[in-house]
Amino acid sequence: YREGEQFVTDTALTYGYTREQIATVVAHLSPRQSWVRNKAMCTELVSTGNTRGLGACIARARVALESSDPIATLKGPKTRSFGLNLLGRYETTTVDVWAYRAACPSGDIERMGIKEYRRIAKAYEDTAKFYGITPAQFQAVIWCTIRGKAD
């Protein structure tokens, strides 16, 4: 997440947005994207006004860029947690597809509802506490491990 925070800071400074706006744009554009692609989409959107990807995600990212409270535009638990993590708020757990696969190897992420999301997030939080690290740090370790590389 430190590299993500730096990306948010650098992009905000380069293009004249707040860190909150950029973190929120990254979070909105993140579903089903690699980290490399996610950053490229954000940069393209803030520099040109457009990018390619999931239309609904792009629309939400545009709203966040115009909002005086971009964090409030993050409605889903995954995107909200991710946006906060990118701002250095590590107390929340981002349960993305990789975190889900690590917790539920035979599960179907398409069926994950809010109760399941919260159950998995709580398990990550409890385990992080056991190891004396933040939930976001623990999730990042799992993400890098299950992906097999630091993308």
Side-chain angles (χ1 to χ4, degrees):
Y1 282 110
R2 297 272 185 233
E3 191 266 329
E5 285 183 73
Q6 192 61 57
F7 172 79
V8 166
T9 299
D10 293 346
T11 305
L13 288 171
T14 300
Y15 295 99
Y17 291 100
T18 67
R19 291 181 71 249
E20 289 77 12
Q21 287 170 311
I22 298 302
T24 303
V25 166
V26 171
H28 280 306
L29 296 175
S30 68
R32 307 291 185 191
Q33 301 299 327
S34 72
W35 177 234
V36 170
R37 176 71 183 126
N38 192 190
K39 291 187 298 182
M41 290 171 70
C42 175
T43 302
E44 186 176 39
L45 182 65
V46 299
S47 66
T48 70
N50 200 16
T51 189
R52 291 169 309 180
L54 299 173
C57 295
I58 295 167
R60 287 189 287 271
R62 285 187 179 124
V63 168
L65 282 176
E66 301 300 321
S67 176
S68 62
D69 185 8
I71 299 298
T73 69
L74 295 168
K75 305 297 184 193
K78 182 265 181 183
T79 54
R80 183 168 182 78
S81 290
F82 188 43
L84 293 173
N85 293 159
L86 289 170
L87 291 169
R89 296 172 58 188
Y90 297 152
E91 71 279 0
T92 64
T93 303
T94 300
V95 180
D96 64 359
V97 65
W98 302 102
Y100 179 82
R101 287 178 182 163
C104 307
S106 61
D108 179 2
I109 193 159
E110 301 302 328
R111 295 179 182 222
M112 181 174 66
I114 190 67
K115 278 184 159 181
E116 182 76 348
Y117 185 98
R118 288 184 180 143
R119 184 184 70 77
I120 293 168
K122 174 85 168 88
Y124 272 73
E125 290 157 13
D126 291 347
T127 305
K129 185 176 181 178
F130 176 81
Y131 285 106
I133 59 176
T134 69
Q137 289 169 323
F138 181 69
Q139 180 268 327
V141 167
I142 297 301
W143 187 87
C144 289
T145 301
I146 198 165
R147 291 274 316 213
K149 61 180 178 178
D151 181 8

